[in-house]
């Protein structure tokens, strides 16, 4: 009798078009939501980071304790990483005075270190292998660094590089298109392509979020951060309910 290989379900969803649509919405929400707390509420970057860091820790611990994949729990945790990433990057760039270039370089280094330790410890950084608490801990720490790096990159592109929010969004959209082309027409590592796309969606969301809520004189639409965040939340909820997501599989 032929043995049937055991299939382990990952704690993260299958990577589909719906995944990327929701991810971009989540990263945009992270920008508008983070700015709403630190700027619109005038709490500052440090207090905003402390608030979102606490939410991030609670969300991650709750996610890790779950035995199976739950869409709402997963995307709540993703949003928590984007909001803390927004305020943390702004705190490093502005309050610490290291600038966008300095902040991006530091965060890129931390991201690479996170990947290296993860790979050395478990032998893979593939999202299909997120089937243990240890792997999931590495996953969320790495995501937090990638979200923070993405915020700094988005701000650097729009402000320091002088491309503006629309120009920045077009640049990162173009990079995503190139990654998609590599996925469909080359044999490049799917793990590398996934993480490249995952990281790039964050600065895309950052520039889109800034485009929505920054003043008209700065190239934004000057929309309320609260209303923009509310619309993005509703959009995400509709997508999660409309596009049924399943846990990824590892054979």
């Amino acid at each position: 009798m032929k043995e049937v290989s055991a299939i382990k379900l990952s704690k993260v969803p299958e990577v589909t078009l719906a995944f990327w649509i929701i991810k971009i919405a989540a990263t945009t929400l992270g920008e508008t939501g983070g700015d709403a707390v630190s700027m619109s509420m005038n709490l500052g970057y440090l207090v905003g980071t402390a608030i979102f860091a606490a939410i991030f820790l609670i969300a991650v611990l709750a996610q890790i304790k779950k035995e199976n994949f739950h869409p709402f729990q997963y995307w709540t945790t993703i949003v928590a990483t984007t909001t803390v990433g927004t305020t943390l990057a702004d705190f490093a760039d502005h309050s610490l005075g290291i600038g966008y270039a300095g902040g991006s370089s530091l965060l890129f280094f931390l991201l690479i270190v996170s990947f290296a330790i993860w790979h050395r410890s478990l032998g893979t950084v593939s999202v299909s292998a997120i089937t243990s608490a240890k792997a999931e801990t590495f996953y969320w720490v790495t995501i937090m660094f990638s979200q923070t790096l993405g915020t700094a990159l988005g701000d650097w592109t729009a402000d320091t590089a002088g491309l503006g929010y629309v120009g920045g969004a077009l640049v990162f959209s173009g990079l995503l298109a190139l990654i998609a082309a590599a996925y469909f027409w080359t044999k490049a590592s799917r793990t590398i392509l996934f993480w490249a796309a995952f990281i790039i969606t964050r600065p895309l969301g950052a520039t889109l979020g800034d485009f929505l809520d920054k003043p008209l004189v700065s190239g934004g639409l000057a929309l309320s951060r609260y209303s923009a965040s509310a619309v993005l939340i509703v959009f995400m909820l509709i997508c999660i309910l409309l596009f049924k997501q399943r846990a990824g599989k590892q054979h």
Side-chain angles (χ1 to χ4, degrees):
M1 198 171 168
K2 199 184 234 180
E3 273 187 26
V4 179
S5 61
I7 298 177
K8 291 183 179 180
L9 294 179
S10 175
K11 292 286 294 295
V12 301
E14 287 184 320
V15 182
T16 62
L17 178 60
F19 174 90
W20 294 114
I21 291 173
I22 301 173
K23 171 61 167 59
I24 293 172
T27 58
T28 308
L29 173 59
E31 190 70 19
T32 58
D35 287 349
V37 171
S38 62
M39 297 180 188
S40 297
M41 293 183 182
N42 294 315
L43 295 180
Y45 301 127
L46 182 58
V47 174
T49 298
I51 292 172
F52 289 123
I55 295 173
F56 166 71
L57 288 174
I58 292 171
V60 167
L61 289 174
Q63 168 71 15
I64 292 175
K65 285 183 178 180
K66 293 282 187 181
E67 293 186 2
N68 301 309
F69 167 68
H70 295 274
F72 286 103
Q73 178 69 50
Y74 175 82
W75 288 110
T76 296
T77 310
I78 286 289
V79 171
T81 67
T82 65
T83 48
V84 72
T86 295
T87 54
L88 183 58
D90 286 339
F91 176 73
D93 295 340
H94 301 294
S95 300
L96 295 183
I98 61 177
Y100 297 132
S104 297
S105 299
L106 174 61
L107 290 163
F108 181 73
F109 172 76
L110 292 174
L111 180 62
I112 294 302
V113 169
S114 178
F115 274 126
I117 296 175
W118 182 2
H119 191 276
R120 183 177 179 83
S121 179
L122 298 179
T124 180
V125 296
S126 172
V127 292
S128 65
I130 310 300
T131 56
S132 68
K134 187 175 183 180
E136 197 169 5
T137 299
F138 279 120
Y139 176 76
W140 289 112
V141 170
T142 302
I143 283 180
M144 193 272 288
F145 283 139
S146 76
Q147 306 283 39
T148 309
L149 169 63
T151 301
L153 281 176
D155 290 342
W156 179 83
T157 303
D159 296 334
T160 306
L163 294 179
Y165 305 121
V166 175
L170 289 175
V171 167
F172 293 118
S173 295
L175 289 174
L176 280 178
L178 290 176
I179 294 171
Y183 177 85
F184 287 111
W185 296 314
T186 75
K187 295 181 179 180
S189 167
R190 278 12 189 183
T191 298
I192 292 176
L193 291 177
F194 168 83
W195 282 111
F198 196 96
I199 292 168
I200 292 299
T201 54
R202 179 58 185 123
L204 173 59
T207 52
L208 289 175
D210 283 337
F211 175 67
L212 292 175
D213 63 31
K214 294 302 182 189
L216 294 173
V217 293
S218 300
L221 295 180
L223 300 178
S224 163
R225 294 185 178 106
Y226 303 118
S227 58
S229 298
V231 169
L232 287 165
I233 290 173
V234 172
F235 176 76
M236 284 186 64
L237 289 174
I238 291 173
C239 287
I240 293 171
L241 292 172
L242 187 62
F243 304 111
K244 300 299 182 183
Q245 295 178 301
R246 298 179 299 177
K249 295 178 181 179
Q250 180 190 32
H251 294 270

